[in-house]
Amino acid sequence: MLNKVFVSAIIAAAGQGKRMKSRINKQYLELDGKPILIHTLEVFDKIKYINEIILILKEDEIEFCREKILNRYEFRKKIILVSGGRERQESVYNGLKFVNKNAQIVVVHDGARPFVTADVIEKSICEALKNKAVGVGVPVKDTIKVVDENSYIIDTPDRSKLWGIQTPQVFNYDILIKAHEKAIEDNYLGTDDCVLVERLGHRVKMIEGNYDNIKITTPEDLILGEAILNRRKSKI
């Protein structure tokens, strides 16, 4: 079934990375001797069901990324470089304009999540074929509190119903493009692609990912990332 479906992957890597407090953007920082972005791209490059990779970058970093990062490594798939926007949502929409006209499924992933696994990506694609919209996440471990504008607790949601959303988030192309166009029409800025699809009234199926699938955002995340890589290598 998957062999007959054209799947496009959009990798969002145009963020500022201000919390990293680094002179270079976080996706170019190294883990185990390789840029974070390369770790991410290598996972997607090896998945046979993905037909193309669209990499969203800051406009002024496209040539740097091509010459100093991508050309140092070999990829089987063609990687299309696209300029991002001011917000992640605009960047993903820019990427949607470049997907192949035959694309039926679009996988949206954060470039700074290098520990995503192939099995989670493939499972999310399969679920998207059935449900049209899929989010990957994990049940929260902590008790969550809702506070008011003065930081007083006003509610404690049932933890059993709470998930931490990750990426990939995978959609039928027609649904995702409509969701983005509706957000533009309404001048709405969402925190992820799932919420844009939710606004259309379409249900989003959640599937469980893994707790390793962290987003590298702060210097502390780099330390945790090294630990994850060392643990994985010890199991080989």
Side-chain angles (χ1 to χ4, degrees), residues 12-218:
Q16 298 290 328
K18 294 179 180 178
R19 284 177 287 178
M20 186 58 73
K21 299 178 181 179
S22 171
R23 289 177 297 176
I24 62 173
N25 271 353
K26 59 188 176 183
Q27 61 263 21
Y28 305 127
L29 296 174
E30 292 193 351
L31 280 172
D32 196 30
K34 288 193 294 190
I36 291 168
L37 182 59
I38 295 299
H39 286 279
T40 303
L41 289 172
E42 286 180 340
V43 178
F44 282 82
D45 189 56
K46 293 175 183 176
I47 298 175
K48 63 180 180 180
Y49 305 116
I50 290 177
N51 300 95
E52 66 177 0
I53 298 173
I54 297 170
L55 179 59
I56 313 298
L57 301 165
K58 291 178 64 178
E59 185 174 6
D60 60 1
E61 292 182 349
I62 287 179
E63 289 307 313
F64 167 81
C65 185
R66 178 184 288 116
E67 295 177 10
K68 304 296 184 181
I69 305 296
L70 297 181
N71 286 349
R72 292 171 51 197
Y73 300 87
E74 292 185 5
F75 294 97
R76 294 180 294 181
K77 294 180 173 60
K78 181 180 179 181
I79 299 177
I80 303 167
L81 305 185
V82 175
S83 175
R86 289 173 296 178
E87 303 288 345
R88 181 184 185 279
Q89 182 172 308
E90 184 180 348
S91 294
V92 174
Y93 183 64
N94 286 354
L96 286 170
K97 298 174 186 176
F98 284 84
V99 301
N100 189 287
K101 64 180 181 180
N102 295 315
Q104 297 165 264
I105 297 293
V106 179
V107 181
V108 182
H109 187 69
D110 297 320
R113 287 188 189 270
F115 304 117
V116 66
T117 59
D119 62 316
V120 167
I121 297 170
E122 291 176 7
K123 182 179 178 181
S124 65
I125 294 171
C126 289
E127 287 292 335
L129 288 173
K130 295 184 289 184
N131 293 285
K132 308 296 184 184
V134 171
V136 170
V138 289
V140 300
K141 297 179 179 180
D142 298 321
T143 296
I144 305 298
K145 300 291 186 179
V146 179
V147 300
D148 63 17
E149 63 275 7
N150 297 311
S151 299
Y152 288 101
I153 295 172
I154 57 175
D155 192 22
T156 304
D158 180 358
R159 187 172 64 183
S160 67
K161 296 180 180 179
L162 299 176
W163 287 54
I165 192 71
Q166 301 175 340
T167 62
Q169 296 178 7
V170 188
F171 309 91
N172 172 276
Y173 169 80
D174 290 338
I175 289 175
L176 185 57
I177 193 70
K178 287 177 183 176
H180 273 267
E181 289 172 347
K182 177 63 173 172
I184 293 170
E185 178 185 333
D186 296 342
N187 196 30
Y188 176 84
L189 184 64
T191 51
D192 69 354
D193 293 282
C194 283
V195 73
L196 303 187
V197 172
E198 292 167 45
R199 293 182 72 248
L200 292 181
H202 199 290
R203 295 199 302 171
V204 180
K205 174 74 171 181
M206 281 293 295
I207 65 170
E208 189 164 352
N210 59 69
Y211 291 97
D212 282 358
N213 187 20
I214 64 171
K215 187 175 183 181
I216 305 294
T217 304
T218 67

